[in-house]
Amino acid sequence: DAMVIQNPRYQVTQFGKPVTLSCSQTLNHNVMYWYQQKSSQAPKLLFHYYDKDFNNEADTPDNFQSRRPNTSFCFLDIRSPGLGDAAMYLCATSPPPGLADYEQYFGPGTRLTVT
Amino acid sequence: KNQVEQSPQSLIILEGKNCTLQCNYTVSPFSNLRWYKQDTGRGPVSLTIMTFSENTKSNGRYTATLDADTKQSSLHITASQLSDSASYICVVTAFNDYKLSFGAGTTVTVRA
């Protein structure tokens, strides 16, 4: 089945120690997104790629970076995780917006714990 | 500013009972409205999608309605099951926009 895969599902890192989260997709979608979701809150968009074009949200901290080496894969790098970065990180993919039934397909998420 | 408001914030229902969740939005120009179910510790999963011209959409025991004139939607859960315990999120998309407008979600707890 076509899907969005995130690895690992659970990640524990130490304060200040760089960490990378991975997302892959078999949907061949142009657009990939990274969201941060804290407990009982709506997902917050961090950035997205439209093909190789990177689009950063204005309020995304510099501590968060992303790489998209090819259509299928996208990575979220947190350079120096703080305790406030502990959250669920969701990857999503979509075709280009514009269709009436435009949809983002979400992965299962990676739960990040910072100790 | 595009906004999505959901009510109630949370509710508890007994297994087998029905419930209705509400969503009001101010997203413009409207493209579609989607209800997602998010289990604890999991990513959101789409239940229904409705475009401007649709006013009812069903997916099993889930029925969503849309009133595009009043900018309101509801999600009705029929004959609830324990597995329905989750957060239900209303998400609205503006036309030709990549960004989704999320509601804060309604947490539903189904008790035996």
mmCIF file of all heavy atoms in Angstrom, chain B residues 53-78:
data_model
loop_
_atom_site.group_PDB
_atom_site.id
_atom_site.type_symbol
_atom_site.label_atom_id
_atom_site.label_comp_id
_atom_site.label_asym_id
_atom_site.label_seq_id
_atom_site.Cartn_x
_atom_site.Cartn_y
_atom_site.Cartn_z
ATOM 1 N N SER B 53 -19.658 21.874 -2.570
ATOM 2 C CA SER B 53 -20.989 21.469 -3.046
ATOM 3 C C SER B 53 -21.574 20.286 -2.284
ATOM 4 O O SER B 53 -22.722 19.895 -2.521
ATOM 5 C CB SER B 53 -20.914 21.117 -4.527
ATOM 6 O OG SER B 53 -19.994 20.059 -4.724
ATOM 7 N N GLU B 54 -20.790 19.708 -1.369
ATOM 8 C CA GLU B 54 -21.268 18.534 -0.644
ATOM 9 C C GLU B 54 -21.759 18.938 0.734
ATOM 10 O O GLU B 54 -21.127 19.747 1.403
ATOM 11 C CB GLU B 54 -20.145 17.506 -0.505
ATOM 12 C CG GLU B 54 -19.651 16.989 -1.847
ATOM 13 C CD GLU B 54 -18.436 16.093 -1.689
ATOM 14 O OE1 GLU B 54 -17.389 16.586 -1.216
ATOM 15 O OE2 GLU B 54 -18.539 14.902 -2.053
ATOM 16 N N ASN B 55 -22.866 18.361 1.181
ATOM 17 C CA ASN B 55 -23.332 18.701 2.519
ATOM 18 C C ASN B 55 -23.422 17.506 3.457
ATOM 19 O O ASN B 55 -23.672 17.688 4.655
ATOM 20 C CB ASN B 55 -24.671 19.451 2.475
ATOM 21 C CG ASN B 55 -25.705 18.696 1.677
ATOM 22 O OD1 ASN B 55 -25.682 17.476 1.605
ATOM 23 N ND2 ASN B 55 -26.616 19.429 1.058
ATOM 24 N N THR B 56 -23.203 16.305 2.944
ATOM 25 C CA THR B 56 -23.169 15.128 3.815
ATOM 26 C C THR B 56 -22.212 14.106 3.238
ATOM 27 O O THR B 56 -22.190 13.887 2.020
ATOM 28 C CB THR B 56 -24.562 14.479 3.948
ATOM 29 O OG1 THR B 56 -25.477 15.431 4.476
ATOM 30 C CG2 THR B 56 -24.513 13.290 4.893
ATOM 31 N N LYS B 57 -21.449 13.494 4.125
ATOM 32 C CA LYS B 57 -20.545 12.436 3.699
ATOM 33 C C LYS B 57 -20.429 11.430 4.815
ATOM 34 O O LYS B 57 -20.233 11.815 5.977
ATOM 35 C CB LYS B 57 -19.173 13.023 3.364
ATOM 36 C CG LYS B 57 -18.167 12.073 2.747
ATOM 37 C CD LYS B 57 -18.499 11.672 1.328
ATOM 38 C CE LYS B 57 -18.311 12.779 0.333
ATOM 39 N NZ LYS B 57 -16.875 13.019 0.020
ATOM 40 N N SER B 58 -20.555 10.160 4.487
ATOM 41 C CA SER B 58 -20.501 9.111 5.501
ATOM 42 C C SER B 58 -19.319 8.188 5.281
ATOM 43 O O SER B 58 -18.902 7.953 4.144
ATOM 44 C CB SER B 58 -21.791 8.286 5.498
ATOM 45 O OG SER B 58 -22.867 9.054 5.976
ATOM 46 N N ASN B 59 -18.811 7.677 6.370
ATOM 47 C CA ASN B 59 -17.743 6.682 6.359
ATOM 48 C C ASN B 59 -18.046 5.724 7.500
ATOM 49 O O ASN B 59 -17.670 5.962 8.641
ATOM 50 C CB ASN B 59 -16.386 7.359 6.540
ATOM 51 C CG ASN B 59 -15.248 6.349 6.592
ATOM 52 O OD1 ASN B 59 -15.464 5.137 6.495
ATOM 53 N ND2 ASN B 59 -14.034 6.839 6.741
ATOM 54 N N GLY B 60 -18.784 4.672 7.182
ATOM 55 C CA GLY B 60 -19.177 3.727 8.232
ATOM 56 C C GLY B 60 -20.082 4.400 9.247
ATOM 57 O O GLY B 60 -21.110 4.977 8.900
ATOM 58 N N ARG B 61 -19.658 4.366 10.507
ATOM 59 C CA ARG B 61 -20.470 4.971 11.567
ATOM 60 C C ARG B 61 -20.216 6.472 11.719
ATOM 61 O O ARG B 61 -20.779 7.101 12.607
ATOM 62 C CB ARG B 61 -20.189 4.240 12.880
ATOM 63 C CG ARG B 61 -20.644 2.774 12.894
ATOM 64 C CD ARG B 61 -20.301 2.070 14.203
ATOM 65 N NE ARG B 61 -18.858 2.003 14.424
ATOM 66 C CZ ARG B 61 -18.199 2.811 15.219
ATOM 67 N NH1 ARG B 61 -18.836 3.771 15.887
ATOM 68 N NH2 ARG B 61 -16.902 2.677 15.364
ATOM 69 N N TYR B 62 -19.388 7.017 10.899
ATOM 70 C CA TYR B 62 -19.087 8.451 10.942
ATOM 71 C C TYR B 62 -19.852 9.156 9.819
ATOM 72 O O TYR B 62 -19.775 8.754 8.663
ATOM 73 C CB TYR B 62 -17.590 8.703 10.753
ATOM 74 C CG TYR B 62 -16.708 8.067 11.791
ATOM 75 C CD1 TYR B 62 -16.014 6.893 11.514
ATOM 76 C CD2 TYR B 62 -16.553 8.627 13.042
ATOM 77 C CE1 TYR B 62 -15.189 6.305 12.459
ATOM 78 C CE2 TYR B 62 -15.729 8.046 13.997
ATOM 79 C CZ TYR B 62 -15.054 6.886 13.696
ATOM 80 O OH TYR B 62 -14.244 6.313 14.646
ATOM 81 N N THR B 63 -20.580 10.218 10.177
ATOM 82 C CA THR B 63 -21.284 11.028 9.190
ATOM 83 C C THR B 63 -20.935 12.489 9.417
ATOM 84 O O THR B 63 -21.136 13.019 10.509
ATOM 85 C CB THR B 63 -22.805 10.849 9.284
ATOM 86 O OG1 THR B 63 -23.128 9.473 9.045
ATOM 87 C CG2 THR B 63 -23.518 11.719 8.241
ATOM 88 N N ALA B 64 -20.408 13.112 8.380
ATOM 89 C CA ALA B 64 -20.051 14.530 8.472
ATOM 90 C C ALA B 64 -21.056 15.346 7.672
ATOM 91 O O ALA B 64 -21.562 14.901 6.635
ATOM 92 C CB ALA B 64 -18.642 14.756 7.940
ATOM 93 N N THR B 65 -21.343 16.526 8.157
ATOM 94 C CA THR B 65 -22.200 17.460 7.433
ATOM 95 C C THR B 65 -21.451 18.766 7.241
ATOM 96 O O THR B 65 -20.550 19.107 8.011
ATOM 97 C CB THR B 65 -23.507 17.733 8.191
ATOM 98 O OG1 THR B 65 -23.194 18.425 9.406
ATOM 99 C CG2 THR B 65 -24.244 16.444 8.503
ATOM 100 N N LEU B 66 -21.834 19.483 6.212
ATOM 101 C CA LEU B 66 -21.211 20.774 5.931
ATOM 102 C C LEU B 66 -22.280 21.761 5.501
ATOM 103 O O LEU B 66 -23.100 21.460 4.619
ATOM 104 C CB LEU B 66 -20.169 20.643 4.815
ATOM 105 C CG LEU B 66 -19.554 21.946 4.301
ATOM 106 C CD1 LEU B 66 -18.727 22.613 5.395
ATOM 107 C CD2 LEU B 66 -18.710 21.692 3.062
ATOM 108 N N ASP B 67 -22.291 22.926 6.122
ATOM 109 C CA ASP B 67 -23.117 24.045 5.690
ATOM 110 C C ASP B 67 -22.155 25.152 5.295
ATOM 111 O O ASP B 67 -21.654 25.885 6.148
ATOM 112 C CB ASP B 67 -24.053 24.496 6.815
ATOM 113 C CG ASP B 67 -25.020 25.575 6.360
ATOM 114 O OD1 ASP B 67 -24.695 26.307 5.396
ATOM 115 O OD2 ASP B 67 -26.102 25.696 6.949
ATOM 116 N N ALA B 68 -21.905 25.272 3.994
ATOM 117 C CA ALA B 68 -20.918 26.235 3.526
ATOM 118 C C ALA B 68 -21.405 27.674 3.687
ATOM 119 O O ALA B 68 -20.590 28.601 3.724
ATOM 120 C CB ALA B 68 -20.562 25.952 2.072
ATOM 121 N N ASP B 69 -22.700 27.853 3.787
ATOM 122 C CA ASP B 69 -23.230 29.213 3.960
ATOM 123 C C ASP B 69 -22.932 29.741 5.361
ATOM 124 O O ASP B 69 -22.531 30.892 5.536
ATOM 125 C CB ASP B 69 -24.740 29.239 3.701
ATOM 126 C CG ASP B 69 -25.059 28.986 2.240
ATOM 127 O OD1 ASP B 69 -24.222 29.345 1.377
ATOM 128 O OD2 ASP B 69 -26.128 28.412 1.951
ATOM 129 N N THR B 70 -23.164 28.898 6.353
ATOM 130 C CA THR B 70 -22.906 29.313 7.732
ATOM 131 C C THR B 70 -21.497 28.956 8.178
ATOM 132 O O THR B 70 -21.085 29.298 9.286
ATOM 133 C CB THR B 70 -23.910 28.665 8.702
ATOM 134 O OG1 THR B 70 -23.762 27.246 8.638
ATOM 135 C CG2 THR B 70 -25.340 29.069 8.338
ATOM 136 N N LYS B 71 -20.756 28.238 7.328
ATOM 137 C CA LYS B 71 -19.377 27.831 7.627
ATOM 138 C C LYS B 71 -19.325 26.968 8.882
ATOM 139 O O LYS B 71 -18.537 27.237 9.815
ATOM 140 C CB LYS B 71 -18.466 29.051 7.722
ATOM 141 C CG LYS B 71 -18.411 29.842 6.419
ATOM 142 C CD LYS B 71 -17.397 30.962 6.455
ATOM 143 C CE LYS B 71 -17.358 31.653 5.091
ATOM 144 N NZ LYS B 71 -16.378 32.745 5.024
ATOM 145 N N GLN B 72 -20.175 25.968 8.876
ATOM 146 C CA GLN B 72 -20.233 25.042 10.003
ATOM 147 C C GLN B 72 -20.209 23.609 9.488
ATOM 148 O O GLN B 72 -20.744 23.310 8.411
ATOM 149 C CB GLN B 72 -21.504 25.267 10.827
ATOM 150 C CG GLN B 72 -21.579 26.626 11.497
ATOM 151 C CD GLN B 72 -22.867 26.799 12.266
ATOM 152 O OE1 GLN B 72 -23.919 26.325 11.868
ATOM 153 N NE2 GLN B 72 -22.765 27.483 13.401
ATOM 154 N N SER B 73 -19.590 22.756 10.283
ATOM 155 C CA SER B 73 -19.571 21.331 9.982
ATOM 156 C C SER B 73 -19.796 20.568 11.274
ATOM 157 O O SER B 73 -19.529 21.072 12.377
ATOM 158 C CB SER B 73 -18.238 20.934 9.364
ATOM 159 O OG SER B 73 -18.168 19.539 9.131
ATOM 160 N N SER B 74 -20.311 19.358 11.138
ATOM 161 C CA SER B 74 -20.457 18.494 12.293
ATOM 162 C C SER B 74 -19.999 17.086 11.922
ATOM 163 O O SER B 74 -20.010 16.699 10.747
ATOM 164 C CB SER B 74 -21.911 18.458 12.777
ATOM 165 O OG SER B 74 -22.725 17.846 11.804
ATOM 166 N N LEU B 75 -19.576 16.357 12.928
ATOM 167 C CA LEU B 75 -19.229 14.950 12.759
ATOM 168 C C LEU B 75 -20.067 14.169 13.752
ATOM 169 O O LEU B 75 -19.987 14.407 14.958
ATOM 170 C CB LEU B 75 -17.742 14.701 13.017
ATOM 171 C CG LEU B 75 -17.305 13.245 12.868
ATOM 172 C CD1 LEU B 75 -17.372 12.803 11.406
ATOM 173 C CD2 LEU B 75 -15.891 13.029 13.412
ATOM 174 N N HIS B 76 -20.872 13.251 13.233
ATOM 175 C CA HIS B 76 -21.751 12.444 14.063
ATOM 176 C C HIS B 76 -21.198 11.026 14.124
ATOM 177 O O HIS B 76 -20.912 10.422 13.083
ATOM 178 C CB HIS B 76 -23.166 12.441 13.476
ATOM 179 C CG HIS B 76 -24.168 11.766 14.341
ATOM 180 N ND1 HIS B 76 -24.686 12.332 15.475
ATOM 181 C CD2 HIS B 76 -24.746 10.542 14.235
ATOM 182 C CE1 HIS B 76 -25.554 11.504 16.040
ATOM 183 N NE2 HIS B 76 -25.605 10.411 15.308
ATOM 184 N N ILE B 77 -21.038 10.533 15.339
ATOM 185 C CA ILE B 77 -20.578 9.157 15.540
ATOM 186 C C ILE B 77 -21.775 8.351 16.038
ATOM 187 O O ILE B 77 -22.385 8.699 17.066
ATOM 188 C CB ILE B 77 -19.428 9.080 16.555
ATOM 189 C CG1 ILE B 77 -18.280 9.995 16.123
ATOM 190 C CG2 ILE B 77 -18.932 7.640 16.685
ATOM 191 C CD1 ILE B 77 -17.130 10.067 17.140
ATOM 192 N N THR B 78 -22.094 7.319 15.326
ATOM 193 C CA THR B 78 -23.248 6.480 15.650
ATOM 194 C C THR B 78 -22.797 5.201 16.342
ATOM 195 O O THR B 78 -21.796 4.602 15.951
ATOM 196 C CB THR B 78 -24.017 6.114 14.370
ATOM 197 O OG1 THR B 78 -24.412 7.322 13.694
ATOM 198 C CG2 THR B 78 -25.242 5.282 14.678
#
